[in-house]
Amino acid sequence: MEKILKNYDSKTVILFDSSYDLKTLKKIMEKDESIIVSLDYNSHKILSDRNIKHHISDDFLGVTDLLDIWKKSFSLSQWYDNLELSKILEYKGINIGKLFYPEFHYHLLPFLKKFVELIFLCDKFCDSKIIAPSSISDILSLLNPNVEYIKVEQKSENFLYDTVKFQITNSLSVKIPKKSYHKLKNISEQALSKLLKNNKNYKNQKHTLLIEFDPIKYQRLFELSPKYDIQFVLFNRRRPYVWNKKSYSIIKNSNCLIARYLDVKNKQIEKSIEIGKEQLKKKLDNLLEHEEILDRFFSNKKHSFWNGIKPIFIELCKKRFLEAIQEIELADQVIKNSGASSIIVLSDNGFNEQIMLHLAKKYQIDTLLLQHGMYWETIENKEGNIFIGGDFPILSSKFLTWGTQTEKYSKKCGYAEKTNIIGSPSHDTLFKDNSNNSLVNDGFILLATSSPQQNEIFDLTVDNLEAYEKIIKKVCKIAINLNKRLVIKPHPFQEERDVKKIVEGMDNHVILAKSGNIKDLIKSCDIFLVNDFSTTMLDAMIIGKPVIAIKTKNRHMKERPEIFTSGCCVECNINTLEKEIKEILTTNKRAIMIEKGNQYVKKFMSNQGNSSEKLLEFLDSN
């Protein structure tokens, strides 16, 4: 609360967001003297660009408030654990409410932040007239019955996983509805099964189900599997099995089987799905008959916000409950048909991964969580790693880490008995390629952007959102000053902020690489930059490139991961970035950083280039 001015004596407070235009705002402002509060980043930018004095809703929250919201969002997203509700939500031993808790959290967190802001705002301006857009009437009506509303169009909620990014060419991708994506996927799988008709299921081999694996990323693992008498069965519901010649070749040559929906689809399964959907519709009705429980549960600062979150909650439940039935029935059949003795997942909290992990317990099948990236390895961030990343074996029976550092972190967090060191099969090819000395410096700076995320509390603040844009623009200007080309590779997450708009009007020095493999770009760059933190830092160190991490956002954490404290990369703010780049380009600092990077990689990653063999040996011996 330290940002709030003490002497607010205005009779009118106008809440402005991007649901209505500036023309409407100015008309309201003409009537009497007022204070304007922007409710989102876009409205703040609109007002700032026109030099209109205003406050931002973040002003009503201090760091402690934000941390409280962050912690509260985790517990609220686990509404399905309520004893009375969990009985209603069960289907074939699976709590279906739990399956989509990361997605619910993604939508809940910004709602909760805004709700707490409005609580403080209404308290601060209890004697003032408040004018607000009708889009937030569901929230404000719970706090102040005397608000005057500006009628605006109520936009329908677009849920995180309602659409899928579909790559048409290397440079062109479109978002399509999930239903349409699955239709296209089923058609492509029919064609693929004909092309792979010579692939055989060897009954005497150990069968392992791989869930949502990219065959190119894990190329060496697939290629070596026949030598170890391991029969892989790939089960991808979110990602395609094959999308180019290379992925097809890997699947075919490894004799990997694909688990298709059409292979298990029959009248009995379809009937089970329809019966299950009818049961779930009744369960949802039954759930809503317990509104008094939900009303009590969804509250904060002694204020219930159930009526505000209710439309999002119900719509998301309707969609995901019905999807859950089909996915549970399908996964059950795939497990039965595969004869799998083990299942490997890359995340413990994905929708389909959770289903598989629950069913595996029913069939007494070993489940292995394979580390998929570098984590912010601090005790402070333990809950975030569990909740958002699915990085710990909550459901899985074993956790296979990249090296001793993550093993130690896992043990500190309470998973000592489940943890084993394997290495990173996804980096085997990179280690092998790097040994060929095919490295080139093509004269450009590479920036990998990690966009602010809606499921991270401090990423929702205007300060961090502004910093993200300012840093990208500043890096562009630095590259131009140094007469260096800049290539920007946005994070592949489908909700990534549009970097293209941020760099509009920049010189031809700036190239936006939306598609393609970032590792190929890293191999050719002079210097590799990241904003904040990314697994790609490790990739660059393996390849032998100097890494600079630009401080972009304040996480308000006391602990920092070892990658920042070991000196293997430069961590700097935007004001000292140009100086750091010049030093790397003109002094022996480049060689020193590359050597320190090599030392860190040796410490962080075990079985370099041979992790696939270690994983296959592990599967063979268990």
Side-chain angles (χ1 to χ4, degrees), residues 41-66:
Y41 179 57
N42 290 335
S43 60
H44 163 68
K45 279 190 71 178
I46 290 168
L47 296 172
S48 297
D49 291 345
R50 289 158 182 81
N51 294 316
I52 297 174
K53 188 178 178 181
H54 66 286
H55 299 279
I56 57 176
S57 55
D58 289 354
D59 290 343
F60 294 84
L61 302 177
V63 172
T64 302
D65 298 314
L66 289 166

PDB file of all heavy atoms in Angstrom, residues 41-66:
ATOM      1  N   TYR A  41      -2.895  -3.378 -18.200  1.00  0.00           N
ATOM      2  CA  TYR A  41      -1.702  -2.813 -18.833  1.00  0.00           C
ATOM      3  C   TYR A  41      -2.050  -2.013 -20.086  1.00  0.00           C
ATOM      4  O   TYR A  41      -1.498  -0.928 -20.320  1.00  0.00           O
ATOM      5  CB  TYR A  41      -0.729  -3.945 -19.169  1.00  0.00           C
ATOM      6  CG  TYR A  41       0.532  -3.476 -19.840  1.00  0.00           C
ATOM      7  CD1 TYR A  41       1.351  -2.528 -19.232  1.00  0.00           C
ATOM      8  CD2 TYR A  41       0.914  -3.967 -21.092  1.00  0.00           C
ATOM      9  CE1 TYR A  41       2.522  -2.086 -19.842  1.00  0.00           C
ATOM     10  CE2 TYR A  41       2.073  -3.540 -21.706  1.00  0.00           C
ATOM     11  CZ  TYR A  41       2.870  -2.596 -21.077  1.00  0.00           C
ATOM     12  OH  TYR A  41       4.019  -2.152 -21.672  1.00  0.00           O
ATOM     13  N   ASN A  42      -2.971  -2.531 -20.889  1.00  0.00           N
ATOM     14  CA  ASN A  42      -3.331  -1.842 -22.130  1.00  0.00           C
ATOM     15  C   ASN A  42      -3.933  -0.468 -21.856  1.00  0.00           C
ATOM     16  O   ASN A  42      -3.618   0.507 -22.545  1.00  0.00           O
ATOM     17  CB  ASN A  42      -4.296  -2.690 -22.960  1.00  0.00           C
ATOM     18  CG  ASN A  42      -3.621  -3.913 -23.548  1.00  0.00           C
ATOM     19  OD1 ASN A  42      -2.409  -3.920 -23.751  1.00  0.00           O
ATOM     20  ND2 ASN A  42      -4.382  -4.950 -23.820  1.00  0.00           N
ATOM     21  N   SER A  43      -4.823  -0.386 -20.847  1.00  0.00           N
ATOM     22  CA  SER A  43      -5.434   0.909 -20.525  1.00  0.00           C
ATOM     23  C   SER A  43      -4.387   1.878 -19.964  1.00  0.00           C
ATOM     24  O   SER A  43      -4.425   3.076 -20.235  1.00  0.00           O
ATOM     25  CB  SER A  43      -6.589   0.725 -19.537  1.00  0.00           C
ATOM     26  OG  SER A  43      -6.149   0.136 -18.334  1.00  0.00           O
ATOM     27  N   HIS A  44      -3.446   1.357 -19.203  1.00  0.00           N
ATOM     28  CA  HIS A  44      -2.355   2.187 -18.689  1.00  0.00           C
ATOM     29  C   HIS A  44      -1.533   2.766 -19.846  1.00  0.00           C
ATOM     30  O   HIS A  44      -1.165   3.954 -19.837  1.00  0.00           O
ATOM     31  CB  HIS A  44      -1.452   1.356 -17.771  1.00  0.00           C
ATOM     32  CG  HIS A  44      -0.113   1.963 -17.508  1.00  0.00           C
ATOM     33  ND1 HIS A  44       0.062   3.111 -16.770  1.00  0.00           N
ATOM     34  CD2 HIS A  44       1.134   1.577 -17.924  1.00  0.00           C
ATOM     35  CE1 HIS A  44       1.353   3.417 -16.724  1.00  0.00           C
ATOM     36  NE2 HIS A  44       2.013   2.497 -17.418  1.00  0.00           N
ATOM     37  N   LYS A  45      -1.260   1.952 -20.862  1.00  0.00           N
ATOM     38  CA  LYS A  45      -0.487   2.410 -22.016  1.00  0.00           C
ATOM     39  C   LYS A  45      -1.246   3.489 -22.788  1.00  0.00           C
ATOM     40  O   LYS A  45      -0.664   4.486 -23.229  1.00  0.00           O
ATOM     41  CB  LYS A  45      -0.178   1.229 -22.949  1.00  0.00           C
ATOM     42  CG  LYS A  45       1.005   0.397 -22.507  1.00  0.00           C
ATOM     43  CD  LYS A  45       1.425  -0.584 -23.570  1.00  0.00           C
ATOM     44  CE  LYS A  45       2.060   0.098 -24.749  1.00  0.00           C
ATOM     45  NZ  LYS A  45       2.526  -0.834 -25.783  1.00  0.00           N
ATOM     46  N   ILE A  46      -2.554   3.279 -22.959  1.00  0.00           N
ATOM     47  CA  ILE A  46      -3.389   4.251 -23.677  1.00  0.00           C
ATOM     48  C   ILE A  46      -3.318   5.612 -22.985  1.00  0.00           C
ATOM     49  O   ILE A  46      -3.128   6.655 -23.619  1.00  0.00           O
ATOM     50  CB  ILE A  46      -4.846   3.765 -23.766  1.00  0.00           C
ATOM     51  CG1 ILE A  46      -4.945   2.566 -24.715  1.00  0.00           C
ATOM     52  CG2 ILE A  46      -5.785   4.886 -24.230  1.00  0.00           C
ATOM     53  CD1 ILE A  46      -6.277   1.831 -24.642  1.00  0.00           C
ATOM     54  N   LEU A  47      -3.462   5.613 -21.673  1.00  0.00           N
ATOM     55  CA  LEU A  47      -3.444   6.857 -20.904  1.00  0.00           C
ATOM     56  C   LEU A  47      -2.051   7.476 -20.890  1.00  0.00           C
ATOM     57  O   LEU A  47      -1.888   8.700 -21.016  1.00  0.00           O
ATOM     58  CB  LEU A  47      -3.923   6.597 -19.476  1.00  0.00           C
ATOM     59  CG  LEU A  47      -5.380   6.133 -19.331  1.00  0.00           C
ATOM     60  CD1 LEU A  47      -5.667   5.723 -17.893  1.00  0.00           C
ATOM     61  CD2 LEU A  47      -6.356   7.224 -19.777  1.00  0.00           C
ATOM     62  N   SER A  48      -1.037   6.646 -20.727  1.00  0.00           N
ATOM     63  CA  SER A  48       0.342   7.150 -20.682  1.00  0.00           C
ATOM     64  C   SER A  48       0.746   7.774 -22.007  1.00  0.00           C
ATOM     65  O   SER A  48       1.397   8.829 -22.038  1.00  0.00           O
ATOM     66  CB  SER A  48       1.310   6.015 -20.333  1.00  0.00           C
ATOM     67  OG  SER A  48       1.049   5.500 -19.056  1.00  0.00           O
ATOM     68  N   ASP A  49       0.367   7.139 -23.112  1.00  0.00           N
ATOM     69  CA  ASP A  49       0.720   7.659 -24.442  1.00  0.00           C
ATOM     70  C   ASP A  49       0.093   9.026 -24.710  1.00  0.00           C
ATOM     71  O   ASP A  49       0.597   9.793 -25.540  1.00  0.00           O
ATOM     72  CB  ASP A  49       0.284   6.670 -25.532  1.00  0.00           C
ATOM     73  CG  ASP A  49       1.106   5.390 -25.524  1.00  0.00           C
ATOM     74  OD1 ASP A  49       2.183   5.393 -24.881  1.00  0.00           O
ATOM     75  OD2 ASP A  49       0.677   4.396 -26.129  1.00  0.00           O
ATOM     76  N   ARG A  50      -0.996   9.331 -23.998  1.00  0.00           N
ATOM     77  CA  ARG A  50      -1.694  10.612 -24.198  1.00  0.00           C
ATOM     78  C   ARG A  50      -1.488  11.566 -23.017  1.00  0.00           C
ATOM     79  O   ARG A  50      -2.194  12.562 -22.883  1.00  0.00           O
ATOM     80  CB  ARG A  50      -3.185  10.350 -24.424  1.00  0.00           C
ATOM     81  CG  ARG A  50      -3.441   9.711 -25.791  1.00  0.00           C
ATOM     82  CD  ARG A  50      -4.763   8.976 -25.835  1.00  0.00           C
ATOM     83  NE  ARG A  50      -4.964   8.338 -27.132  1.00  0.00           N
ATOM     84  CZ  ARG A  50      -4.436   7.162 -27.489  1.00  0.00           C
ATOM     85  NH1 ARG A  50      -3.659   6.510 -26.635  1.00  0.00           N
ATOM     86  NH2 ARG A  50      -4.668   6.647 -28.671  1.00  0.00           N
ATOM     87  N   ASN A  51      -0.533  11.191 -22.169  1.00  0.00           N
ATOM     88  CA  ASN A  51      -0.174  12.031 -21.012  1.00  0.00           C
ATOM     89  C   ASN A  51      -1.372  12.372 -20.131  1.00  0.00           C
ATOM     90  O   ASN A  51      -1.496  13.483 -19.619  1.00  0.00           O
ATOM     91  CB  ASN A  51       0.493  13.334 -21.487  1.00  0.00           C
ATOM     92  CG  ASN A  51       1.834  13.076 -22.151  1.00  0.00           C
ATOM     93  OD1 ASN A  51       2.638  12.281 -21.652  1.00  0.00           O
ATOM     94  ND2 ASN A  51       2.060  13.718 -23.282  1.00  0.00           N
ATOM     95  N   ILE A  52      -2.256  11.405 -19.963  1.00  0.00           N
ATOM     96  CA  ILE A  52      -3.412  11.582 -19.075  1.00  0.00           C
ATOM     97  C   ILE A  52      -3.034  11.068 -17.692  1.00  0.00           C
ATOM     98  O   ILE A  52      -2.677   9.897 -17.519  1.00  0.00           O
ATOM     99  CB  ILE A  52      -4.657  10.836 -19.608  1.00  0.00           C
ATOM    100  CG1 ILE A  52      -5.074  11.423 -20.959  1.00  0.00           C
ATOM    101  CG2 ILE A  52      -5.818  10.931 -18.607  1.00  0.00           C
ATOM    102  CD1 ILE A  52      -6.195  10.666 -21.644  1.00  0.00           C
ATOM    103  N   LYS A  53      -3.092  11.945 -16.720  1.00  0.00           N
ATOM    104  CA  LYS A  53      -2.702  11.594 -15.357  1.00  0.00           C
ATOM    105  C   LYS A  53      -3.624  10.508 -14.809  1.00  0.00           C
ATOM    106  O   LYS A  53      -4.854  10.613 -14.890  1.00  0.00           O
ATOM    107  CB  LYS A  53      -2.769  12.841 -14.473  1.00  0.00           C
ATOM    108  CG  LYS A  53      -2.201  12.643 -13.084  1.00  0.00           C
ATOM    109  CD  LYS A  53      -2.267  13.946 -12.292  1.00  0.00           C
ATOM    110  CE  LYS A  53      -1.747  13.736 -10.872  1.00  0.00           C
ATOM    111  NZ  LYS A  53      -1.835  14.983 -10.076  1.00  0.00           N
ATOM    112  N   HIS A  54      -3.035   9.509 -14.231  1.00  0.00           N
ATOM    113  CA  HIS A  54      -3.838   8.401 -13.695  1.00  0.00           C
ATOM    114  C   HIS A  54      -3.018   7.595 -12.702  1.00  0.00           C
ATOM    115  O   HIS A  54      -1.797   7.753 -12.596  1.00  0.00           O
ATOM    116  CB  HIS A  54      -4.320   7.485 -14.818  1.00  0.00           C
ATOM    117  CG  HIS A  54      -3.207   6.756 -15.506  1.00  0.00           C
ATOM    118  ND1 HIS A  54      -2.341   7.371 -16.393  1.00  0.00           N
ATOM    119  CD2 HIS A  54      -2.788   5.450 -15.438  1.00  0.00           C
ATOM    120  CE1 HIS A  54      -1.457   6.499 -16.847  1.00  0.00           C
ATOM    121  NE2 HIS A  54      -1.701   5.323 -16.280  1.00  0.00           N
ATOM    122  N   HIS A  55      -3.694   6.731 -11.983  1.00  0.00           N
ATOM    123  CA  HIS A  55      -3.047   5.744 -11.119  1.00  0.00           C
ATOM    124  C   HIS A  55      -3.355   4.363 -11.702  1.00  0.00           C
ATOM    125  O   HIS A  55      -4.302   4.200 -12.471  1.00  0.00           O
ATOM    126  CB  HIS A  55      -3.563   5.847  -9.688  1.00  0.00           C
ATOM    127  CG  HIS A  55      -3.302   7.174  -9.064  1.00  0.00           C
ATOM    128  ND1 HIS A  55      -2.090   7.508  -8.528  1.00  0.00           N
ATOM    129  CD2 HIS A  55      -4.102   8.268  -8.915  1.00  0.00           C
ATOM    130  CE1 HIS A  55      -2.134   8.741  -8.065  1.00  0.00           C
ATOM    131  NE2 HIS A  55      -3.337   9.232  -8.294  1.00  0.00           N
ATOM    132  N   ILE A  56      -2.520   3.409 -11.368  1.00  0.00           N
ATOM    133  CA  ILE A  56      -2.764   2.036 -11.837  1.00  0.00           C
ATOM    134  C   ILE A  56      -3.256   1.194 -10.663  1.00  0.00           C
ATOM    135  O   ILE A  56      -2.945   1.477  -9.508  1.00  0.00           O
ATOM    136  CB  ILE A  56      -1.498   1.421 -12.467  1.00  0.00           C
ATOM    137  CG1 ILE A  56      -0.331   1.423 -11.482  1.00  0.00           C
ATOM    138  CG2 ILE A  56      -1.126   2.147 -13.739  1.00  0.00           C
ATOM    139  CD1 ILE A  56       0.919   0.745 -12.005  1.00  0.00           C
ATOM    140  N   SER A  57      -4.029   0.178 -10.980  1.00  0.00           N
ATOM    141  CA  SER A  57      -4.611  -0.652  -9.914  1.00  0.00           C
ATOM    142  C   SER A  57      -3.531  -1.320  -9.071  1.00  0.00           C
ATOM    143  O   SER A  57      -3.747  -1.615  -7.890  1.00  0.00           O
ATOM    144  CB  SER A  57      -5.554  -1.695 -10.501  1.00  0.00           C
ATOM    145  OG  SER A  57      -4.910  -2.473 -11.493  1.00  0.00           O
ATOM    146  N   ASP A  58      -2.341  -1.547  -9.664  1.00  0.00           N
ATOM    147  CA  ASP A  58      -1.225  -2.110  -8.894  1.00  0.00           C
ATOM    148  C   ASP A  58      -0.853  -1.242  -7.690  1.00  0.00           C
ATOM    149  O   ASP A  58      -0.295  -1.730  -6.715  1.00  0.00           O
ATOM    150  CB  ASP A  58       0.026  -2.235  -9.775  1.00  0.00           C
ATOM    151  CG  ASP A  58      -0.087  -3.316 -10.827  1.00  0.00           C
ATOM    152  OD1 ASP A  58      -1.096  -4.045 -10.810  1.00  0.00           O
ATOM    153  OD2 ASP A  58       0.815  -3.420 -11.668  1.00  0.00           O
ATOM    154  N   ASP A  59      -1.155   0.071  -7.797  1.00  0.00           N
ATOM    155  CA  ASP A  59      -0.784   0.994  -6.717  1.00  0.00           C
ATOM    156  C   ASP A  59      -1.413   0.608  -5.378  1.00  0.00           C
ATOM    157  O   ASP A  59      -0.930   1.014  -4.325  1.00  0.00           O
ATOM    158  CB  ASP A  59      -1.234   2.419  -7.059  1.00  0.00           C
ATOM    159  CG  ASP A  59      -0.420   3.034  -8.186  1.00  0.00           C
ATOM    160  OD1 ASP A  59       0.673   2.504  -8.477  1.00  0.00           O
ATOM    161  OD2 ASP A  59      -0.866   4.019  -8.786  1.00  0.00           O
ATOM    162  N   PHE A  60      -2.484  -0.147  -5.428  1.00  0.00           N
ATOM    163  CA  PHE A  60      -3.205  -0.500  -4.209  1.00  0.00           C
ATOM    164  C   PHE A  60      -2.628  -1.752  -3.538  1.00  0.00           C
ATOM    165  O   PHE A  60      -3.120  -2.184  -2.499  1.00  0.00           O
ATOM    166  CB  PHE A  60      -4.696  -0.706  -4.515  1.00  0.00           C
ATOM    167  CG  PHE A  60      -5.380   0.551  -4.955  1.00  0.00           C
ATOM    168  CD1 PHE A  60      -5.339   0.960  -6.272  1.00  0.00           C
ATOM    169  CD2 PHE A  60      -6.042   1.354  -4.036  1.00  0.00           C
ATOM    170  CE1 PHE A  60      -5.950   2.139  -6.680  1.00  0.00           C
ATOM    171  CE2 PHE A  60      -6.649   2.525  -4.429  1.00  0.00           C
ATOM    172  CZ  PHE A  60      -6.602   2.931  -5.756  1.00  0.00           C
ATOM    173  N   LEU A  61      -1.602  -2.344  -4.170  1.00  0.00           N
ATOM    174  CA  LEU A  61      -1.019  -3.583  -3.648  1.00  0.00           C
ATOM    175  C   LEU A  61       0.468  -3.401  -3.376  1.00  0.00           C
ATOM    176  O   LEU A  61       1.197  -2.852  -4.209  1.00  0.00           O
ATOM    177  CB  LEU A  61      -1.199  -4.731  -4.649  1.00  0.00           C
ATOM    178  CG  LEU A  61      -2.632  -5.076  -5.070  1.00  0.00           C
ATOM    179  CD1 LEU A  61      -2.592  -6.173  -6.125  1.00  0.00           C
ATOM    180  CD2 LEU A  61      -3.470  -5.510  -3.879  1.00  0.00           C
ATOM    181  N   GLY A  62       0.898  -3.884  -2.229  1.00  0.00           N
ATOM    182  CA  GLY A  62       2.319  -3.959  -1.929  1.00  0.00           C
ATOM    183  C   GLY A  62       2.842  -5.353  -2.237  1.00  0.00           C
ATOM    184  O   GLY A  62       2.084  -6.244  -2.643  1.00  0.00           O
ATOM    185  N   VAL A  63       4.137  -5.556  -2.064  1.00  0.00           N
ATOM    186  CA  VAL A  63       4.755  -6.871  -2.331  1.00  0.00           C
ATOM    187  C   VAL A  63       4.114  -7.956  -1.464  1.00  0.00           C
ATOM    188  O   VAL A  63       3.822  -9.063  -1.941  1.00  0.00           O
ATOM    189  CB  VAL A  63       6.278  -6.810  -2.080  1.00  0.00           C
ATOM    190  CG1 VAL A  63       6.896  -8.201  -2.149  1.00  0.00           C
ATOM    191  CG2 VAL A  63       6.941  -5.883  -3.091  1.00  0.00           C
ATOM    192  N   THR A  64       3.856  -7.647  -0.208  1.00  0.00           N
ATOM    193  CA  THR A  64       3.239  -8.628   0.701  1.00  0.00           C
ATOM    194  C   THR A  64       1.862  -9.033   0.203  1.00  0.00           C
ATOM    195  O   THR A  64       1.491 -10.213   0.250  1.00  0.00           O
ATOM    196  CB  THR A  64       3.129  -8.041   2.124  1.00  0.00           C
ATOM    197  OG1 THR A  64       4.432  -7.675   2.574  1.00  0.00           O
ATOM    198  CG2 THR A  64       2.558  -9.068   3.086  1.00  0.00           C
ATOM    199  N   ASP A  65       1.095  -8.043  -0.282  1.00  0.00           N
ATOM    200  CA  ASP A  65      -0.240  -8.344  -0.818  1.00  0.00           C
ATOM    201  C   ASP A  65      -0.148  -9.285  -2.009  1.00  0.00           C
ATOM    202  O   ASP A  65      -0.923 -10.243  -2.136  1.00  0.00           O
ATOM    203  CB  ASP A  65      -0.952  -7.057  -1.252  1.00  0.00           C
ATOM    204  CG  ASP A  65      -1.180  -6.095  -0.104  1.00  0.00           C
ATOM    205  OD1 ASP A  65      -1.636  -6.548   0.955  1.00  0.00           O
ATOM    206  OD2 ASP A  65      -0.884  -4.901  -0.266  1.00  0.00           O
ATOM    207  N   LEU A  66       0.805  -9.021  -2.900  1.00  0.00           N
ATOM    208  CA  LEU A  66       0.968  -9.857  -4.093  1.00  0.00           C
ATOM    209  C   LEU A  66       1.378 -11.280  -3.720  1.00  0.00           C
ATOM    210  O   LEU A  66       0.870 -12.255  -4.295  1.00  0.00           O
ATOM    211  CB  LEU A  66       2.005  -9.235  -5.036  1.00  0.00           C
ATOM    212  CG  LEU A  66       1.546  -7.955  -5.747  1.00  0.00           C
ATOM    213  CD1 LEU A  66       2.742  -7.235  -6.365  1.00  0.00           C
ATOM    214  CD2 LEU A  66       0.503  -8.258  -6.811  1.00  0.00           C
TER     215      LEU A  66
END
